[in-house]
Structures are given as structure tokens and as C-alpha cells.
Amino acid sequence: MADTIAAISTASGAGAIGILRLSGPEALPIAYRHLSFFEGALPLSSIKPRNAYTCRFVDGEKKLDQVVFIYFAGPNSFTGEDLCEIHTHGNPILLREALECLFRSGARPAKQGEFTKRAFLNGKIDLNEAEAIGRIIGARSRFELELAQKNAFGEISRLASNLRSQLISLKAECEAEIDFSTEDLTFESLEERKKRIRSISDICSNLLKRSSETETLLERSRVVLYGEPNTGKSSLMNLILGRDRSIISEIPGTTRDYISEDFLLSGVPIRLIDTAGVRETGDKIEKMGIERSEKEFSQADVRLFVIDVSQKNDWNKFAEENRSKLEGAIVAANKSDIRDPSWDPQYILKKNYPGTVLVEVSCKSRQGLDTLVSEISFKLQGLESSEDYVLLEERNRFHFSSITRSLENCLTLMEEGAPAEIYIKEIDSALEQIGEVNGRVDTEEILGRIFSKFCVGK
């Protein structure tokens, strides 16, 4: 890459510090033309890599700002090229003016993701790590950030390298059998070979399954509040959100359609949905709202069944009639501070419905609210930790799916009695795909699509 690129690398808007970044063979000479050192003239050859210099940024005779300048000599830089950073005060007008100076001195504007693309092309990072940087920048939650950080530190790359080693070993065994079939040598049995192939295939299948579950969670899990009118669903939604979102009224049927709000719960993206109160009604519009409530509740990732325990009720009968809705749900026993003598949580708990959790709460006193939020988080599979989840980009989902197909085809051929010369082609195909995972990408079109998602300056 013969040209030198420049861009503002800090977020748009005013801030304490703004950073200009240059990368390329002329990065140092271009930056040097605009630096005026306090201790007097400093020869270009005297600038040491990784030293911070306090100096002025100038445009000819005009002083623009007092800056900190750092030079990173290639290949020991982020991009693998000569790279310079100029730290200015974070005024957007000032940054733009300084950037225009660099352009006039020979740099060109960097394209989206071009710094990271150069790091990849120069072998400083692999493609998984490059994609993870984009995810780190754009992460919408702590959960997504932790997953992106794991990829940035090489988790997917190490897994792919391990699988590649296993496939190479498998291929070597097959080729040895083909080349030395007439020799008096001992090779692994067909069953042992099939076992090894199944093991690799299972790893890829499990990875895809975990990735699918992760993507579902990243797309926001649906937590649905359901129950009869005036049980306190809207009040509970407002308390969980920490602000008034749903209209609260003692008049039954106030909520006629579901209301939803996206927010983060313990760092996890959640869509909280307040539904219309379920009751017998002749109002056609309210009936439509109730039908939608039933649908939302049935499709929820976490079902929150809100009941009013301040009312006299036959709770044993209630539990029997609502068994299908109670199973697997969190039961929020609201108004527990003014509970009716007829209420006893054992009427529901003693049924031992699978997955049912009961929490006594009071929207008025906030009693039990923290416990309820904890139970919702737990139902969302304990996402305080991202340990059991994996984040795969669309490109890698394709490659791991292709590997799985190739290995399954290989097993089918082996079951059919095909010779090693035939089924080894499927192993070759799997090896080609695993090579693509860590970035053996040859087309400019694919690279352009990946790095175009990045911000300019990264």
C-alpha cells in the first residue's frame, strides 16, 4: 500500500481530546510538516518511535493547537505500517481543520475500516479479530461486548486452528493409507476414523447451535407481562423500567393493546411487553387486544404472570384452570402488602408445575422487586456471564455449516463403503472452509464488505 491515509479516530462531537491518525509510508513526513517543537527545531531523524512529544500543530505560520504527537514505526504498529497519532483538544472544528492540513500535505481520506483492513492485510490481526473490533465498537450491551472481546482475543481463531490441525491429521492418515496400501503398515480402523470425523462435526454443530442461541438473545429477549385487569401489570412495567411508560388506571380495560419498551436488564437487551388485561368482554376492540395478549404471552422468552393477591379468590381452582400458563412462568403475586386471607403461595407452589417460580411483590412498597428482576435475569439463562455463549459473524456461520455438511457427506460415503480416495475429497472441502474462518480470503469484494461496516478512523 503505497499511499498514506488519515482520519479523525475519535467519536464525533466535542470532547476533552481528539485524535488524528495517519498510516502509510509518508505518515511521519506528512505529520512532521505541521509540528513545531517547543525545544526548537527537532530533525525528522531524531523522532523516536513510541515517544510522546508535546508540541504545536501548525498550518504554515498559523498555530492551531498544542498537541501530543506519537510515532509508531512499522511493522510495530497497529496497521503494520508507519503510523502517527496527533492528540489535540476535542473541538470538531479544530480537528477538521487539522485534518485538512494533512490532506493538503499528501495524505488521502481513509475509507471506512481502512486502518483495521491494513492491519489484517499486513498480518497484524486475523479476520476474526478484525470483525471482533467492529463488534466491540458497536456493542449494544455488556453481554455483546464480552462476546466480542472473547473473539478479539482469539477464541474463534484458536478453535479454528485446533479443528484445522485435527483435519490435517485426519487427511494425512487417509493419504498414507492410499499411498501405502500395499505396504505392511497398520492404519487406524474405519470405526476409529469415523469417530474422529463425528467428533469434529459435533464441535461445529454445537458451535452453530450456541451461536444461534446467542443471536436470538442479542436480538432482544421478549419478557411479557400477562394477567387479568387491575392486577398491576402496568405499574410493574413502570417499576422495572424505572419510569412511567404504561398508563395506570383503576378502570378495567385501560390497556387495549400491548405496549413494548426496549432496555437493558443486567446488561442484556430486553423487550418488555405490557399486555391488555385478560377477561370476558363484549367490547370488540378490547377482545382484539386480549387475543394479542394471548399470542404475545405464548411466544414470550420469559412469561411474567401477574396476579392480584389482595382479592378473595379460590387460588387452588385458579391454579388448576391456568396450569398451561403457569408452567414455566414467573408468577408475580402483586399487592402482597395488602394480601387477602385467602391467599397462600402454596396453592400454586405445591402443584410443582415445571419451571414455575413465584415471587411476592408490592408495586406500592417495591417489596420483592429486586427478587423479581433477579428471577427474570435467571430465566434469561444467567446472562450476567457470557461464558456459555459464542458470537459468530454471518461469514463464519456459513463456513462452519459447510464444514459440518462436508463431514456428514464424508461419513455417509464411508458407511456406503466408498474408498478413501473418494471420501478424502470431503475432508479437503472441510479443510478449505476452516482455512477461510481465520481469514484466507482472496477477493477484494469480500474484504470490502467486511470493513465497510467500520467507522472512518478505525
Side-chain angles (χ1 to χ4, degrees):
M1 287 157 280
D3 56 354
T4 297
I5 57 175
I8 300 169
S9 289
T10 39
S12 60
I17 297 172
I19 299 175
L20 297 166
R21 182 186 259 180
L22 300 93
S23 182
E26 294 298 310
L28 182 57
I30 290 172
Y32 181 77
R33 291 182 197 128
H34 297 280
L35 302 178
S36 174
F37 297 90
F38 291 115
E39 58 270 25
L42 183 67
L44 179 64
S45 57
S46 298
I47 294 178
K48 298 178 180 178
R50 300 180 182 273
N51 278 23
Y53 294 90
T54 303
C55 50
R56 296 185 185 92
F57 190 94
V58 298
D59 181 13
E61 297 298 320
K62 181 182 178 183
K63 298 172 185 176
L64 294 186
D65 195 18
Q66 182 173 313
V67 303
V68 174
F69 172 74
I70 307 173
Y71 166 56
F72 301 89
N76 300 315
S77 70
F78 172 70
T79 59
E81 307 172 322
D82 282 359
L83 185 143
C84 296
E85 287 187 357
I86 302 168
H87 297 227
T88 75
H89 291 95
N91 184 298
I93 302 171
L94 172 64
L95 282 163
R96 174 52 58 183
E97 190 173 351
L99 184 62
E100 290 296 334
C101 292
L102 300 176
F103 291 157
R104 288 196 298 272
S105 294
R108 70 160 174 83
K111 298 175 184 176
Q112 285 180 288
E114 192 167 4
F115 287 92
T116 308
K117 181 179 178 180
R118 290 189 175 202
F120 164 71
L121 293 174
N122 289 322
K124 303 301 290 186
I125 55 175
D126 66 29
L127 205 52
N128 293 314
E129 292 165 339
E131 289 172 319
I133 290 170
R135 281 277 194 169
I136 286 173
I137 294 169
R140 298 159 294 175
S141 66
R142 178 182 55 77
F143 176 57
E144 185 174 5
L145 176 61
E146 287 179 358
L147 291 168
Q149 286 169 329
K150 289 199 297 184
N151 288 359
F153 289 120
E155 182 168 293
I156 297 300
S157 301
R158 285 190 295 273
L159 173 63
S161 296
N162 179 268
L163 291 177
R164 185 172 181 273
S165 295
Q166 293 185 50
L167 285 168
I168 289 173
S169 172
L170 189 63
K171 182 183 177 182
E173 180 74 17
C174 293
E175 287 185 336
E177 184 176 338
I178 294 167
D179 294 341
F180 303 104
S181 57
T182 58
E183 303 292 331
D184 187 20
L185 298 172
T186 302
F187 302 98
E188 66 181 358
S189 69
L190 192 63
E191 286 305 313
E192 288 174 330
R193 190 168 297 172
K194 286 194 287 187
K195 185 178 179 181
R196 290 172 66 189
I197 294 171
R198 284 195 191 94
S199 174
I200 299 170
S201 179
D202 287 346
I203 290 172
C204 294
S205 297
N206 183 53
L207 189 67
L208 288 166
K209 179 175 180 291
R210 289 163 60 201
S211 172
S212 178
E213 292 170 351
T214 301
E215 287 299 327
T216 299
L217 290 165
L218 290 176
E219 287 302 316
R220 301 191 180 277
S221 298
R222 299 165 68 85
V223 179
V224 177
L225 292 94
Y226 174 91
E228 296 177 353
N230 291 342
T231 53
K233 299 185 301 299
S234 298
S235 297
L236 198 54
M237 179 174 186
N238 291 342
L239 279 175
I240 294 173
L241 290 174
R243 63 184 179 86
D244 290 342
R245 175 64 176 85
S246 292
I247 297 174
I248 300 170
S249 172
E250 295 180 358
I251 302 171
T254 301
T255 304
R256 293 193 165 207
D257 198 355
Y258 65 83
I259 299 169
S260 66
E261 187 76 10
D262 294 340
F263 77 114
L264 295 178
L265 181 68
S266 300
V268 181
I270 299 297
R271 175 161 293 168
L272 189 62
I273 301 171
D274 178 19
T275 60
V278 179
R279 64 170 180 166
E280 293 294 330
T281 179
D283 188 311
K284 290 184 179 179
I285 296 177
E286 191 178 351
K287 266 186 177 178
M288 291 174 63
I290 292 169
E291 288 172 3
R292 292 186 179 185
S293 296
E294 299 282 3
K295 183 179 179 181
E296 288 294 323
F297 191 65
S298 65
Q299 295 176 347
D301 296 296
V302 175
R303 298 183 299 150
L304 195 55
F305 197 145
V306 186
I307 60 176
D308 179 0
V309 299
S310 69
Q311 301 295 317
K312 184 176 177 61
N313 203 342
D314 184 343
W315 294 106
N316 188 56
K317 181 181 178 182
F318 174 87
E320 290 294 341
E321 290 176 346
N322 292 277
R323 174 171 184 160
S324 63
K325 293 183 172 63
L326 291 170
E327 286 184 354
I330 298 174
V331 181
N334 191 28
K335 306 183 186 180
S336 60
D337 55 325
I338 51 171
R339 70 184 71 190
D340 185 82
S342 65
W343 166 247
D344 184 343
Q346 291 304 314
Y347 282 122
I348 292 174
L349 294 175
K350 70 182 180 182
K351 301 292 183 181
N352 292 320
Y353 292 149
T356 301
V357 177
L358 188 144
V359 181
E360 293 186 327
V361 298
S362 168
C363 291
K364 186 176 181 180
S365 68
R366 303 178 65 93
Q367 171 196 336
L369 182 63
D370 290 342
T371 303
L372 180 66
V373 170
S374 296
E375 290 294 346
I376 294 172
S377 297
F378 184 78
K379 283 281 186 180
L380 289 166
Q381 303 177 44
L383 291 181
E384 289 80 2
S385 169
S386 60
E387 185 177 345
D388 296 329
Y389 295 88
V390 64
L391 187 60
L392 290 182
E393 300 298 336
E394 183 179 351
R395 176 184 68 85
N396 277 345
R397 286 198 296 274
F398 171 79
H399 292 315
F400 281 111
S401 294
S402 298
I403 293 165
T404 303
R405 283 195 299 274
S406 294
L407 295 180
E408 290 302 319
N409 290 341
C410 183
L411 287 169
T412 299
L413 289 169
M414 294 172 81
E415 293 288 349
E416 293 172 352
E421 291 90 338
I422 300 298
Y423 64 72
I424 196 175
K425 293 180 180 179
E426 296 294 343
I427 298 174
D428 285 335
S429 177
L431 262 171
E432 183 178 348
Q433 291 297 324
I434 201 69
E436 299 286 354
V437 170
N438 279 358
R440 205 184 67 202
V441 180
D442 302 320
T443 69
E444 187 66 26
E445 180 185 355
I446 293 174
L447 290 177
R449 188 166 65 246
I450 291 170
F451 291 103
S452 67
K453 298 176 184 177
F454 284 55
C455 55
V456 173
K458 194 61 187 174

